[in-house]
Amino acid sequence: MILMVGLGNPGAKYAGNRHNVGFMAVDRIAADHGFGPWKARFQGLAAEGRLGDRRVVLLKPQGYMNLSGQSVGEAMRYLKLTPAEVVVLHDELDLAPGVCRLKSGGGHAGHNGLRSIHQHIGEGYRRLRIGIGHPGHKDRVTGHVLSDFARAEQPMLDDLLRGISDGAAALAAGDGAAFGMALAARMAPPKSSRPAAPSVQASPAQAAPSAPEPRTMTDRLRSLADRFR
């Protein structure tokens, strides 16, 4: 069994916030993969289902972000899981919007939800860091994370959440490469949508050799997925 936790703040006021992208991700997974209804459990909302060959409990802690560890710890103990069987999906300031990275263990980097989880179960859990971008100055961080995604970002956000859902079975299985392939398939634009190359060409003396582009879409997706290995 896997416990997959999305982090966020409860209530309609926060529903569209960047800080709530973890809630958004597990909501998408639950809807796309036919999970059971959300029920009040473990100081949060939980839904059960399967991703691939694994039974999975999705969890949205319903204390505020800085109390997330209480919910995660209670669920982990009740389900008799180890930290390695816990996957936390959370917002990440140090990654650009639309970028995800997988990580196991390590520090909490000042994230209040992760800090709370560290206090209750230690650092040995897995994480999916979902980029929301940095506002550029530490004094603007609180306002940034508690602001909604801009309207212009909605298509990117929808593709991102669908990509995470597409790769959810691989995420539960710990297969980072397969997860990366699924996400890249949603996020990588097809070649035909790229801007045309500039019409001004370098002279032979100025031209520098460049690595050949992958010749097929599969090659391109595998190249993008290498970052998750």
Side-chain angles (χ1 to χ4, degrees):
M1 178 183 286
I2 296 293
L3 176 64
M4 194 171 287
V5 183
L7 295 188
N9 285 310
K13 174 181 177 181
Y14 302 102
N17 287 181
R18 299 172 193 275
H19 217 21
N20 274 41
V21 73
F23 275 11
M24 298 176 198
V26 294
D27 278 337
R28 172 62 69 183
I29 291 169
D32 289 351
H33 295 273
F35 273 62
W38 292 99
K39 296 180 180 180
R41 297 180 71 190
F42 313 127
Q43 302 179 53
L45 295 174
E48 295 190 31
R50 300 193 73 85
L51 293 172
D53 61 356
R54 284 170 170 76
R55 183 182 169 205
V56 174
V57 173
L58 300 176
L59 177 65
K60 296 188 293 184
Q62 294 295 290
Y64 285 97
M65 184 71 80
N66 61 351
L67 300 176
S68 299
Q70 296 178 7
S71 175
V72 176
E74 181 179 327
M76 192 185 83
R77 289 188 295 273
Y78 181 87
L79 299 170
K80 297 180 172 59
L81 302 177
T82 67
E85 295 167 308
V86 177
V87 185
V88 177
L89 291 71
H90 66 90
D91 59 302
E92 175 59 68
L93 281 166
D94 292 332
L95 295 176
V99 175
C100 293
R101 293 287 186 273
L102 293 169
K103 180 178 180 180
S104 293
H108 54 68
H111 190 291
N112 288 333
L114 300 185
R115 179 187 282 113
S116 177
I117 294 171
H118 272 49
Q119 292 170 350
H120 286 269
I121 72 170
E123 65 177 44
Y125 56 94
R126 293 187 285 142
R127 308 156 203 192
L128 178 64
R129 304 161 63 212
I130 306 172
I132 61 168
H134 197 287
H137 193 281
K138 64 180 181 180
D139 291 343
R140 297 170 56 197
V141 164
T142 299
H144 178 69
V145 301
L146 295 179
S147 67
D148 288 357
F149 285 94
R151 180 175 297 180
E153 295 176 294
Q154 291 303 315
M156 174 278 296
L157 178 61
D158 187 58
D159 285 343
L160 175 67
L161 297 177
R162 290 180 185 278
I164 291 171
S165 179
D166 291 346
L171 181 61
D175 188 341
F179 175 79
M181 287 279 285
L183 183 61
R186 289 281 185 180
M187 300 300 294
K191 271 188 178 180
S192 59
S193 69
R194 292 180 178 176
S199 58
V200 178
Q201 297 182 349
S203 67
Q206 295 172 320
S210 59
E213 285 198 3
R215 290 176 294 175
T216 68
M217 179 60 75
T218 298
D219 290 337
R220 291 182 64 242
L221 295 180
R222 284 176 176 163
S223 176
L224 288 167
D226 284 344
R227 72 187 64 175
F228 294 94
R229 292 184 183 278

CSV table of all heavy atoms in Angstrom, one decimal, residues 5-9 14-29 60 65 88-93 95-100 111 128-133 145-149 153-154 156-162 164:
chain,number,residue,atom,x,y,z
A,5,VAL,N,0.0,11.8,-0.4
A,5,VAL,CA,-0.5,13.0,0.3
A,5,VAL,C,-0.3,14.2,-0.5
A,5,VAL,O,0.8,14.6,-1.0
A,5,VAL,CB,0.3,13.2,1.6
A,5,VAL,CG1,-0.3,14.4,2.4
A,5,VAL,CG2,0.3,11.9,2.5
A,6,GLY,N,-1.4,15.0,-0.7
A,6,GLY,CA,-1.4,16.3,-1.3
A,6,GLY,C,-1.4,17.3,-0.2
A,6,GLY,O,-2.3,17.3,0.7
A,7,LEU,N,-0.6,18.3,-0.3
A,7,LEU,CA,-0.5,19.4,0.7
A,7,LEU,C,-1.3,20.6,0.2
A,7,LEU,O,-1.3,21.0,-1.0
A,7,LEU,CB,0.9,19.8,1.1
A,7,LEU,CG,1.7,18.7,1.7
A,7,LEU,CD1,3.1,19.2,2.2
A,7,LEU,CD2,1.0,18.0,2.9
A,8,GLY,N,-1.9,21.3,1.2
A,8,GLY,CA,-2.7,22.5,0.9
A,8,GLY,C,-3.3,23.0,2.2
A,8,GLY,O,-3.1,22.5,3.2
A,9,ASN,N,-4.0,24.1,2.0
A,9,ASN,CA,-4.8,24.7,3.1
A,9,ASN,C,-6.3,24.4,2.9
A,9,ASN,O,-6.8,24.5,1.7
A,9,ASN,CB,-4.6,26.2,3.3
A,9,ASN,CG,-3.3,26.5,3.9
A,9,ASN,OD1,-2.9,26.0,4.9
A,9,ASN,ND2,-2.5,27.4,3.2
A,14,TYR,N,-8.8,29.3,-0.1
A,14,TYR,CA,-7.4,28.9,-0.5
A,14,TYR,C,-7.4,27.9,-1.7
A,14,TYR,O,-6.3,27.6,-2.2
A,14,TYR,CB,-6.7,28.2,0.7
A,14,TYR,CG,-6.5,29.0,1.9
A,14,TYR,CD1,-7.4,28.8,3.0
A,14,TYR,CD2,-5.6,30.0,2.0
A,14,TYR,CE1,-7.3,29.6,4.1
A,14,TYR,CE2,-5.5,30.8,3.1
A,14,TYR,CZ,-6.3,30.6,4.2
A,14,TYR,OH,-6.2,31.4,5.3
A,15,ALA,N,-8.6,27.5,-2.2
A,15,ALA,CA,-8.7,26.5,-3.1
A,15,ALA,C,-7.8,26.7,-4.4
A,15,ALA,O,-7.2,25.7,-4.9
A,15,ALA,CB,-10.1,26.2,-3.5
A,16,GLY,N,-7.7,27.9,-4.9
A,16,GLY,CA,-7.0,28.1,-6.1
A,16,GLY,C,-5.6,28.6,-5.9
A,16,GLY,O,-4.9,28.9,-6.9
A,17,ASN,N,-5.1,28.7,-4.7
A,17,ASN,CA,-3.8,29.1,-4.4
A,17,ASN,C,-2.7,28.3,-4.9
A,17,ASN,O,-2.8,27.0,-5.0
A,17,ASN,CB,-3.6,29.2,-2.8
A,17,ASN,CG,-4.3,30.4,-2.2
A,17,ASN,OD1,-4.2,30.5,-1.0
A,17,ASN,ND2,-5.1,31.1,-2.9
A,18,ARG,N,-1.5,28.9,-5.2
A,18,ARG,CA,-0.4,28.1,-5.6
A,18,ARG,C,0.0,27.1,-4.5
A,18,ARG,O,0.5,26.0,-4.8
A,18,ARG,CB,0.8,29.0,-5.9
A,18,ARG,CG,0.5,30.0,-7.1
A,18,ARG,CD,1.6,31.0,-7.2
A,18,ARG,NE,1.2,32.1,-8.1
A,18,ARG,CZ,1.2,32.1,-9.4
A,18,ARG,NH1,1.8,31.1,-10.0
A,18,ARG,NH2,0.8,33.2,-10.1
A,19,HIS,N,-0.1,27.5,-3.3
A,19,HIS,CA,0.2,26.6,-2.1
A,19,HIS,C,-0.6,25.4,-2.1
A,19,HIS,O,-0.3,24.4,-1.4
A,19,HIS,CB,0.0,27.4,-0.9
A,19,HIS,CG,1.0,27.2,0.2
A,19,HIS,ND1,2.3,26.7,0.0
A,19,HIS,CD2,1.0,27.4,1.6
A,19,HIS,CE1,2.9,26.6,1.1
A,19,HIS,NE2,2.1,27.0,2.1
A,20,ASN,N,-1.7,25.4,-2.8
A,20,ASN,CA,-2.7,24.2,-2.8
A,20,ASN,C,-2.5,23.3,-4.0
A,20,ASN,O,-3.4,22.5,-4.2
A,20,ASN,CB,-4.1,24.7,-2.7
A,20,ASN,CG,-4.6,25.0,-1.3
A,20,ASN,OD1,-3.8,25.5,-0.5
A,20,ASN,ND2,-5.8,24.6,-1.0
A,21,VAL,N,-1.4,23.4,-4.7
A,21,VAL,CA,-1.3,22.6,-5.9
A,21,VAL,C,-1.2,21.1,-5.6
A,21,VAL,O,-1.6,20.3,-6.4
A,21,VAL,CB,-0.1,23.1,-6.8
A,21,VAL,CG1,1.2,22.7,-6.1
A,21,VAL,CG2,-0.2,22.6,-8.2
A,22,GLY,N,-0.8,20.8,-4.4
A,22,GLY,CA,-0.8,19.4,-4.0
A,22,GLY,C,-2.2,18.8,-3.8
A,22,GLY,O,-2.5,17.7,-4.3
A,23,PHE,N,-3.1,19.6,-3.2
A,23,PHE,CA,-4.5,19.2,-3.2
A,23,PHE,C,-5.1,19.0,-4.6
A,23,PHE,O,-5.8,18.1,-4.9
A,23,PHE,CB,-5.3,20.3,-2.5
A,23,PHE,CG,-5.4,20.3,-1.0
A,23,PHE,CD1,-4.6,19.4,-0.3
A,23,PHE,CD2,-6.3,21.1,-0.3
A,23,PHE,CE1,-4.7,19.4,1.1
A,23,PHE,CE2,-6.4,21.1,1.0
A,23,PHE,CZ,-5.6,20.2,1.8
A,24,MET,N,-4.7,20.0,-5.5
A,24,MET,CA,-5.2,19.9,-6.9
A,24,MET,C,-4.8,18.6,-7.6
A,24,MET,O,-5.5,18.0,-8.3
A,24,MET,CB,-4.7,21.1,-7.7
A,24,MET,CG,-5.2,22.5,-7.2
A,24,MET,SD,-4.4,23.8,-8.2
A,24,MET,CE,-4.7,25.2,-7.1
A,25,ALA,N,-3.5,18.2,-7.3
A,25,ALA,CA,-3.0,17.1,-8.0
A,25,ALA,C,-3.7,15.8,-7.5
A,25,ALA,O,-4.0,14.9,-8.3
A,25,ALA,CB,-1.5,17.0,-7.7
A,26,VAL,N,-3.9,15.6,-6.2
A,26,VAL,CA,-4.5,14.4,-5.7
A,26,VAL,C,-6.0,14.4,-6.1
A,26,VAL,O,-6.6,13.3,-6.3
A,26,VAL,CB,-4.3,14.1,-4.2
A,26,VAL,CG1,-2.8,13.9,-3.9
A,26,VAL,CG2,-4.8,15.3,-3.4
A,27,ASP,N,-6.6,15.6,-6.2
A,27,ASP,CA,-8.0,15.6,-6.6
A,27,ASP,C,-8.1,15.1,-8.1
A,27,ASP,O,-9.0,14.4,-8.4
A,27,ASP,CB,-8.5,17.0,-6.6
A,27,ASP,CG,-9.0,17.5,-5.2
A,27,ASP,OD1,-9.4,16.6,-4.4
A,27,ASP,OD2,-9.1,18.7,-4.9
A,28,ARG,N,-7.1,15.5,-8.9
A,28,ARG,CA,-7.1,15.1,-10.3
A,28,ARG,C,-6.9,13.6,-10.4
A,28,ARG,O,-7.6,12.8,-11.1
A,28,ARG,CB,-6.1,15.8,-11.1
A,28,ARG,CG,-5.8,15.3,-12.5
A,28,ARG,CD,-7.0,15.4,-13.4
A,28,ARG,NE,-7.3,16.8,-13.7
A,28,ARG,CZ,-8.4,17.2,-14.4
A,28,ARG,NH1,-9.2,16.3,-14.9
A,28,ARG,NH2,-8.6,18.5,-14.6
A,29,ILE,N,-6.0,13.0,-9.6
A,29,ILE,CA,-5.7,11.6,-9.6
A,29,ILE,C,-7.0,10.8,-9.2
A,29,ILE,O,-7.4,9.8,-9.8
A,29,ILE,CB,-4.6,11.3,-8.6
A,29,ILE,CG1,-3.2,11.8,-9.2
A,29,ILE,CG2,-4.4,9.8,-8.4
A,29,ILE,CD1,-2.1,11.8,-8.2
A,60,LYS,N,-5.7,14.3,2.0
A,60,LYS,CA,-5.5,15.8,2.0
A,60,LYS,C,-5.7,16.2,3.5
A,60,LYS,O,-6.8,16.3,4.0
A,60,LYS,CB,-6.6,16.5,1.2
A,60,LYS,CG,-6.5,16.1,-0.3
A,60,LYS,CD,-7.5,17.0,-1.1
A,60,LYS,CE,-9.0,16.6,-0.9
A,60,LYS,NZ,-9.9,17.3,-1.7
A,65,MET,N,-1.6,24.2,6.7
A,65,MET,CA,-0.3,23.6,6.2
A,65,MET,C,0.7,23.2,7.3
A,65,MET,O,1.3,22.2,7.2
A,65,MET,CB,0.3,24.6,5.2
A,65,MET,CG,1.5,24.1,4.5
A,65,MET,SD,1.2,22.8,3.3
A,65,MET,CE,0.6,23.8,1.9
A,88,VAL,N,4.6,12.5,-0.9
A,88,VAL,CA,4.0,13.8,-0.6
A,88,VAL,C,4.1,14.7,-1.9
A,88,VAL,O,5.2,14.9,-2.4
A,88,VAL,CB,4.7,14.5,0.6
A,88,VAL,CG1,4.1,15.9,0.8
A,88,VAL,CG2,4.5,13.7,1.8
A,89,LEU,N,3.0,15.2,-2.3
A,89,LEU,CA,2.9,16.1,-3.5
A,89,LEU,C,2.8,17.6,-3.0
A,89,LEU,O,1.8,17.9,-2.3
A,89,LEU,CB,1.8,15.8,-4.4
A,89,LEU,CG,1.9,14.5,-5.2
A,89,LEU,CD1,1.7,13.3,-4.3
A,89,LEU,CD2,0.8,14.4,-6.3
A,90,HIS,N,3.7,18.5,-3.3
A,90,HIS,CA,3.7,19.8,-2.7
A,90,HIS,C,4.2,20.8,-3.6
A,90,HIS,O,4.9,20.5,-4.6
A,90,HIS,CB,4.5,19.8,-1.4
A,90,HIS,CG,6.0,19.6,-1.6
A,90,HIS,ND1,6.9,20.6,-1.8
A,90,HIS,CD2,6.7,18.4,-1.7
A,90,HIS,CE1,8.1,20.1,-1.9
A,90,HIS,NE2,8.0,18.8,-1.9
A,91,ASP,N,3.9,22.1,-3.4
A,91,ASP,CA,4.4,23.2,-4.1
A,91,ASP,C,5.9,23.4,-3.8
A,91,ASP,O,6.3,23.2,-2.7
A,91,ASP,CB,3.6,24.5,-3.8
A,91,ASP,CG,3.7,24.8,-2.3
A,91,ASP,OD1,3.3,24.0,-1.5
A,91,ASP,OD2,4.1,26.0,-2.0
A,92,GLU,N,6.6,24.0,-4.9
A,92,GLU,CA,8.0,24.2,-4.7
A,92,GLU,C,8.4,25.5,-5.3
A,92,GLU,O,8.3,25.7,-6.5
A,92,GLU,CB,8.8,23.0,-5.4
A,92,GLU,CG,10.3,23.2,-5.4
A,92,GLU,CD,10.9,23.3,-4.0
A,92,GLU,OE1,10.9,22.3,-3.3
A,92,GLU,OE2,11.4,24.4,-3.7
A,93,LEU,N,8.9,26.4,-4.5
A,93,LEU,CA,9.3,27.8,-4.9
A,93,LEU,C,10.5,27.7,-5.8
A,93,LEU,O,10.6,28.6,-6.7
A,93,LEU,CB,9.6,28.6,-3.7
A,93,LEU,CG,8.5,29.2,-2.9
A,93,LEU,CD1,9.0,29.8,-1.6
A,93,LEU,CD2,7.8,30.4,-3.7
A,95,LEU,N,11.4,25.8,-8.2
A,95,LEU,CA,11.2,25.3,-9.5
A,95,LEU,C,10.2,26.2,-10.3
A,95,LEU,O,9.2,26.7,-9.7
A,95,LEU,CB,10.6,23.8,-9.5
A,95,LEU,CG,11.5,22.8,-8.9
A,95,LEU,CD1,10.8,21.4,-8.8
A,95,LEU,CD2,12.8,22.6,-9.7
A,96,ALA,N,10.4,26.3,-11.6
A,96,ALA,CA,9.6,27.2,-12.4
A,96,ALA,C,8.2,26.5,-12.5
A,96,ALA,O,8.1,25.3,-12.4
A,96,ALA,CB,10.2,27.4,-13.8
A,97,PRO,N,7.1,27.3,-12.7
A,97,PRO,CA,5.8,26.7,-12.9
A,97,PRO,C,5.8,25.7,-14.1
A,97,PRO,O,6.5,26.0,-15.1
A,97,PRO,CB,5.0,27.9,-13.3
A,97,PRO,CG,5.6,29.1,-12.6
A,97,PRO,CD,7.1,28.8,-12.7
A,98,GLY,N,5.2,24.6,-13.9
A,98,GLY,CA,5.2,23.5,-14.9
A,98,GLY,C,6.3,22.5,-14.8
A,98,GLY,O,6.3,21.6,-15.6
A,99,VAL,N,7.2,22.7,-13.9
A,99,VAL,CA,8.3,21.8,-13.7
A,99,VAL,C,8.1,21.0,-12.5
A,99,VAL,O,7.7,21.5,-11.4
A,99,VAL,CB,9.7,22.6,-13.6
A,99,VAL,CG1,10.8,21.6,-13.3
A,99,VAL,CG2,9.9,23.3,-14.9
A,100,CYS,N,8.4,19.7,-12.6
A,100,CYS,CA,8.3,18.8,-11.4
A,100,CYS,C,9.6,18.1,-11.2
A,100,CYS,O,10.3,17.8,-12.2
A,100,CYS,CB,7.2,17.8,-11.6
A,100,CYS,SG,5.5,18.4,-11.6
A,111,HIS,N,9.7,24.8,3.9
A,111,HIS,CA,8.3,24.6,3.6
A,111,HIS,C,7.5,24.1,4.9
A,111,HIS,O,7.9,23.1,5.5
A,111,HIS,CB,8.2,23.5,2.5
A,111,HIS,CG,6.8,23.4,1.9
A,111,HIS,ND1,5.8,22.8,2.6
A,111,HIS,CD2,6.3,23.7,0.7
A,111,HIS,CE1,4.7,22.8,1.9
A,111,HIS,NE2,5.0,23.3,0.7
A,128,LEU,N,7.0,14.7,-4.5
A,128,LEU,CA,6.9,15.2,-5.9
A,128,LEU,C,6.9,16.7,-5.7
A,128,LEU,O,5.9,17.3,-5.2
A,128,LEU,CB,5.7,14.7,-6.6
A,128,LEU,CG,5.5,15.3,-8.0
A,128,LEU,CD1,6.7,14.9,-8.9
A,128,LEU,CD2,4.2,14.9,-8.6
A,129,ARG,N,7.9,17.4,-6.1
A,129,ARG,CA,8.0,18.9,-5.9
A,129,ARG,C,7.4,19.5,-7.2
A,129,ARG,O,7.9,19.3,-8.3
A,129,ARG,CB,9.5,19.3,-5.8
A,129,ARG,CG,10.2,18.6,-4.6
A,129,ARG,CD,11.7,18.6,-4.8
A,129,ARG,NE,12.2,20.0,-4.8
A,129,ARG,CZ,13.3,20.4,-5.4
A,129,ARG,NH1,14.0,19.5,-6.2
A,129,ARG,NH2,13.7,21.6,-5.4
A,130,ILE,N,6.4,20.3,-7.0
A,130,ILE,CA,5.6,20.8,-8.1
A,130,ILE,C,5.9,22.3,-8.2
A,130,ILE,O,5.6,23.1,-7.3
A,130,ILE,CB,4.1,20.6,-8.0
A,130,ILE,CG1,3.8,19.1,-7.8
A,130,ILE,CG2,3.4,21.1,-9.2
A,130,ILE,CD1,2.4,18.8,-7.4
A,131,GLY,N,6.6,22.8,-9.2
A,131,GLY,CA,7.1,24.1,-9.3
A,131,GLY,C,6.0,25.2,-9.4
A,131,GLY,O,5.0,25.0,-10.1
A,132,ILE,N,6.1,26.3,-8.6
A,132,ILE,CA,5.2,27.4,-8.6
A,132,ILE,C,6.0,28.7,-8.9
A,132,ILE,O,5.4,29.8,-9.0
A,132,ILE,CB,4.4,27.5,-7.4
A,132,ILE,CG1,5.3,27.8,-6.1
A,132,ILE,CG2,3.5,26.3,-7.2
A,132,ILE,CD1,4.5,28.2,-4.9
A,133,GLY,N,7.3,28.6,-9.0
A,133,GLY,CA,8.1,29.8,-9.3
A,133,GLY,C,8.4,30.6,-8.0
A,133,GLY,O,7.6,30.5,-7.0
A,145,VAL,N,2.7,32.6,-2.6
A,145,VAL,CA,2.2,31.2,-2.4
A,145,VAL,C,0.7,31.2,-2.1
A,145,VAL,O,0.0,30.2,-2.4
A,145,VAL,CB,3.0,30.4,-1.4
A,145,VAL,CG1,4.4,30.3,-1.7
A,145,VAL,CG2,2.8,31.0,0.0
A,146,LEU,N,0.2,32.3,-1.5
A,146,LEU,CA,-1.2,32.4,-1.2
A,146,LEU,C,-2.0,33.1,-2.2
A,146,LEU,O,-3.2,33.5,-2.0
A,146,LEU,CB,-1.4,33.0,0.2
A,146,LEU,CG,-0.8,32.3,1.4
A,146,LEU,CD1,-1.0,33.0,2.7
A,146,LEU,CD2,-1.4,30.9,1.5
A,147,SER,N,-1.4,33.3,-3.4
A,147,SER,CA,-2.2,33.9,-4.5
A,147,SER,C,-2.6,32.8,-5.5
A,147,SER,O,-2.0,31.7,-5.5
A,147,SER,CB,-1.3,34.9,-5.3
A,147,SER,OG,-0.2,34.3,-5.9
A,148,ASP,N,-3.7,33.0,-6.2
A,148,ASP,CA,-4.1,32.0,-7.2
A,148,ASP,C,-3.3,32.0,-8.4
A,148,ASP,O,-2.6,33.0,-8.8
A,148,ASP,CB,-5.6,32.4,-7.6
A,148,ASP,CG,-6.6,32.1,-6.5
A,148,ASP,OD1,-6.2,31.6,-5.4
A,148,ASP,OD2,-7.8,32.4,-6.7
A,149,PHE,N,-3.3,30.9,-9.1
A,149,PHE,CA,-2.6,30.9,-10.4
A,149,PHE,C,-3.3,31.9,-11.3
A,149,PHE,O,-4.6,32.0,-11.3
A,149,PHE,CB,-2.7,29.5,-11.0
A,149,PHE,CG,-1.8,28.5,-10.4
A,149,PHE,CD1,-2.2,27.7,-9.4
A,149,PHE,CD2,-0.5,28.3,-10.9
A,149,PHE,CE1,-1.4,26.7,-8.8
A,149,PHE,CE2,0.4,27.4,-10.3
A,149,PHE,CZ,0.0,26.6,-9.3
A,153,GLU,N,-2.1,31.2,-16.8
A,153,GLU,CA,-1.4,29.9,-16.4
A,153,GLU,C,-2.3,28.7,-16.4
A,153,GLU,O,-1.8,27.6,-16.2
A,153,GLU,CB,-0.8,30.1,-15.0
A,153,GLU,CG,0.3,31.1,-14.9
A,153,GLU,CD,0.8,31.3,-13.5
A,153,GLU,OE1,0.1,31.8,-12.6
A,153,GLU,OE2,2.0,30.9,-13.2
A,154,GLN,N,-3.6,28.9,-16.5
A,154,GLN,CA,-4.5,27.8,-16.4
A,154,GLN,C,-4.3,26.7,-17.4
A,154,GLN,O,-4.4,25.5,-17.0
A,154,GLN,CB,-6.0,28.3,-16.5
A,154,GLN,CG,-6.4,29.2,-15.3
A,154,GLN,CD,-6.2,28.5,-14.0
A,154,GLN,OE1,-6.6,27.3,-13.8
A,154,GLN,NE2,-5.7,29.2,-13.0
A,156,MET,N,-1.5,25.7,-18.8
A,156,MET,CA,-0.3,25.0,-18.3
A,156,MET,C,-0.6,24.2,-17.0
A,156,MET,O,-0.2,23.0,-16.9
A,156,MET,CB,0.8,26.1,-17.9
A,156,MET,CG,2.1,25.5,-17.2
A,156,MET,SD,1.9,25.2,-15.4
A,156,MET,CE,1.7,26.9,-14.8
A,157,LEU,N,-1.4,24.8,-16.1
A,157,LEU,CA,-1.7,24.1,-14.9
A,157,LEU,C,-2.6,22.8,-15.2
A,157,LEU,O,-2.3,21.8,-14.6
A,157,LEU,CB,-2.5,25.0,-14.0
A,157,LEU,CG,-3.0,24.4,-12.6
A,157,LEU,CD1,-1.8,23.9,-11.8
A,157,LEU,CD2,-3.8,25.4,-11.9
A,158,ASP,N,-3.5,22.9,-16.1
A,158,ASP,CA,-4.3,21.8,-16.5
A,158,ASP,C,-3.5,20.7,-17.1
A,158,ASP,O,-3.6,19.5,-16.7
A,158,ASP,CB,-5.4,22.2,-17.5
A,158,ASP,CG,-6.4,21.1,-17.8
A,158,ASP,OD1,-7.1,20.6,-16.8
A,158,ASP,OD2,-6.6,20.7,-18.9
A,159,ASP,N,-2.6,21.0,-18.0
A,159,ASP,CA,-1.7,20.0,-18.6
A,159,ASP,C,-0.8,19.4,-17.5
A,159,ASP,O,-0.6,18.2,-17.5
A,159,ASP,CB,-0.8,20.7,-19.6
A,159,ASP,CG,-1.5,20.9,-20.9
A,159,ASP,OD1,-2.6,20.4,-21.2
A,159,ASP,OD2,-1.0,21.7,-21.8
A,160,LEU,N,-0.3,20.2,-16.6
A,160,LEU,CA,0.5,19.7,-15.5
A,160,LEU,C,-0.2,18.7,-14.6
A,160,LEU,O,0.3,17.6,-14.4
A,160,LEU,CB,1.0,20.9,-14.7
A,160,LEU,CG,1.8,20.5,-13.4
A,160,LEU,CD1,3.2,19.9,-13.8
A,160,LEU,CD2,2.0,21.7,-12.5
A,161,LEU,N,-1.4,19.0,-14.2
A,161,LEU,CA,-2.2,18.1,-13.4
A,161,LEU,C,-2.6,16.8,-14.1
A,161,LEU,O,-2.5,15.7,-13.5
A,161,LEU,CB,-3.4,18.8,-12.8
A,161,LEU,CG,-3.2,20.1,-11.9
A,161,LEU,CD1,-4.5,20.7,-11.6
A,161,LEU,CD2,-2.4,19.7,-10.7
A,162,ARG,N,-2.9,17.0,-15.4
A,162,ARG,CA,-3.2,15.8,-16.2
A,162,ARG,C,-2.0,14.9,-16.3
A,162,ARG,O,-2.1,13.7,-16.3
A,162,ARG,CB,-3.8,16.2,-17.5
A,162,ARG,CG,-5.2,16.8,-17.4
A,162,ARG,CD,-5.8,17.2,-18.8
A,162,ARG,NE,-7.1,17.8,-18.7
A,162,ARG,CZ,-8.2,17.2,-18.5
A,162,ARG,NH1,-8.3,15.9,-18.5
A,162,ARG,NH2,-9.4,17.9,-18.4
A,164,ILE,N,0.6,14.7,-14.2
A,164,ILE,CA,0.8,14.0,-13.0
A,164,ILE,C,-0.2,12.8,-12.8
A,164,ILE,O,0.2,11.7,-12.4
A,164,ILE,CB,0.6,15.0,-11.8
A,164,ILE,CG1,1.8,16.0,-11.8
A,164,ILE,CG2,0.6,14.3,-10.4
A,164,ILE,CD1,1.6,17.2,-10.8
